[in-house]
Amino acid sequence: MDDALLAAYQATDYRVRLARGGYAAIRIGQALSPPLRTLAGDHAWGFITAWNPRSEPTPRPQNRGAQRALLAVLRAFPQTLLIRPGRGVSRDGRWIEPSLWVVGPDTAPLDALALRFGQFGYVHGRGATPAQLRLPPGA
């Protein structure tokens, strides 16, 4: 991953839609906000997308199909406790990627999904620990 792409990951708000409206943002290096901490408890969590594999702009219908496939796989994981829709939003507002925040799966299954869907990285954590950028081996 080049420095520009790494900087883009770092300068992104990872927004999770809340059940009663609005969203809570995840930022790399910061702990989860109280609403997300309550939902995650002490479990592993990840913020992942299937949009724009290999960071290449991809047609919307293809992105939507990939995102539906990602959602189906996450729903089938026995360790999945919760899935919430989200969006990765650049802080300058120049791009938005629909994403999913999932509570339960740890890094091994999320690494496999990131590789399967052509993602260089995703954001993860456990409970209230600070969010980290995860670069799956082989990405």
Side-chain angles (χ1 to χ4, degrees), residues 59-139:
R60 185 177 298 264
Q62 191 173 335
N63 279 328
R64 284 183 177 159
Q67 193 77 349
R68 281 192 298 273
L70 172 62
L71 177 59
V73 172
L74 287 169
R75 283 180 173 157
F77 278 175
Q79 64 270 45
T80 296
L81 303 173
L82 173 73
I83 301 171
R84 301 288 313 145
R87 292 177 159 197
V89 180
S90 65
R91 291 194 191 138
D92 63 9
R94 291 175 38 198
W95 62 266
I96 297 172
E97 279 186 347
S99 303
L100 298 166
W101 185 63
V102 59
V103 176
D106 214 332
T107 56
L110 292 178
D111 284 354
L113 284 180
L115 293 173
R116 177 176 170 182
F117 288 95
Q119 302 300 310
F120 290 127
Y122 62 93
V123 178
H124 83 99
R126 178 173 292 279
T129 63
Q132 297 175 22
L133 176 61
R134 173 89 177 161
L135 307 176

